[in-house]
Amino acid sequence: MTDKNRPFGFEIDVEAGRLARFDHHYQRRLSDLRGVFTDRSAFERAIASGDPVVYEVYELYRPQVAGELLHGLSVVHPGQIGTEFYMTIGHFHAVRETAEVYYCLKGRGLMLMENEEGTWASEEFLPGRVVYVPPRWAHRSINLSLDQDLVTLFVYPGHAGHDYGTIEQRGFRKLVLRNNGSLSIVDNPAWAGANVER
Ligand code: MN
C-alpha cells in the first residue's frame, strides 16, 4: 500500500503517451461523443466502421478537495469527422472559480475556450508550450495533426469538479474546421446558448 500523504514522483513516456504510474485510465470512443461533431452522417459512418477511440485520459488519484491538485495525461488521437478534427467533449468546471494548466508534450493542437459572458479564445498546443485556462472558461482540446497524438499534462484544483452538461446542451460557439488543407475557426451555426434558459 502506498501512503497517499507521502511525496512522490513519476515519469511520463511522452512518445507512447503514457504515465509510468497512474490510478485510473479511461477512453472515449466516438460513440461517447454524440452531438459533438457537426457532420452527423460522417459521424455515424465512422461509428459503423469501428467506433474508434478518440481520446484517453490517465489520472493519478488525489482526494477531490481544495488544496489538492488533480493531474494526469490527456491523449487525443489524430483523426477527422467531416471537416472537424478529433477533440475532447470539453467542459466547464463545476466550481467555476477554478483554473487549469495544460503543458503540451507532443503533437500539435488547439485549446478552444469560451466563457459564459460570450467571449471565446484559442491557444496553440505545441511541444513545450503551456496553456493557462483561467477560472470560468470552458475548454476543449483539439488535435490538429492527422498523423500523431496530441499529448498534454493537466493540473487543476482538487475541488473543481466537471460540468459537461452545459457544453452538451449548447456546444461551443466556435468550430475549428479543416477545408482543403487549411484551417479556419468559424461560428457554430448550431450553438444553442441564446436559446438556453438561464
Ligand atoms: Mn478542466
Side-chain angles (χ1 to χ4, degrees), residues 91-108:
H91 59 265
F92 285 95
H93 291 163
V95 176
R96 290 290 195 268
E97 299 298 335
T98 53
E100 185 156 0
V101 168
Y102 282 77
Y103 180 52
C104 182
L105 296 163
K106 182 185 176 188
R108 187 170 63 87

Side-chain angles (χ1 to χ4, degrees), residues 170-182:
R170 327 176 177 169
F172 274 76
R173 293 163 191 273
K174 294 287 177 179
L175 302 177
V176 177
L177 304 180
R178 179 177 183 270
N179 278 313
N180 303 318
S182 69

Side-chain angles (χ1 to χ4, degrees), residues 10-81:
F10 58 91
E11 283 77 48
I12 302 172
D13 184 340
V14 172
E15 261 323 293
R18 281 177 69 96
L19 296 178
R21 163 186 176 164
F22 58 89
D23 300 304
H24 185 228
H25 167 232
Y26 66 87
Q27 298 184 324
R28 290 282 176 265
R29 290 186 176 274
L30 190 56
S31 55
D32 299 317
L33 276 68
R34 198 158 284 283
V36 167
F37 294 97
T38 302
D39 187 335
R40 299 292 159 92
S41 61
F43 174 82
E44 295 300 342
R45 278 198 307 277
I47 289 179
S49 62
D51 194 13
V53 175
V54 177
Y55 63 97
E56 310 188 49
V57 178
Y58 298 87
E59 295 169 320
L60 284 94
Y61 169 76
R62 296 305 306 168
Q64 295 185 17
V65 298
E68 287 281 352
L69 294 172
L70 303 185
H71 56 289
L73 205 65
S74 162
V75 180
V76 184
H77 296 303
Q80 262 189 285
I81 300 297

Side-chain angles (χ1 to χ4, degrees), residues 63-138:
Q64 295 185 17
V65 298
E68 287 281 352
L69 294 172
L70 303 185
H71 56 289
L73 205 65
S74 162
V75 180
V76 184
H77 296 303
Q80 262 189 285
I81 300 297
T83 56
E84 292 179 284
F85 300 89
Y86 279 15
M87 57 183 150
T88 63
I89 294 171
H91 59 265
F92 285 95
H93 291 163
V95 176
R96 290 290 195 268
E97 299 298 335
T98 53
E100 185 156 0
V101 168
Y102 282 77
Y103 180 52
C104 182
L105 296 163
K106 182 185 176 188
R108 187 170 63 87
L110 274 186
M111 181 69 95
L112 182 65
M113 294 168 277
E114 65 180 54
N115 64 21
E116 292 176 302
E117 286 72 50
T119 308
W120 72 277
S122 70
E123 282 293 333
E124 204 171 8
F125 279 132
L126 287 170
R129 198 152 198 277
V130 174
V131 173
Y132 184 73
V133 182
R136 310 188 62 78
W137 287 73

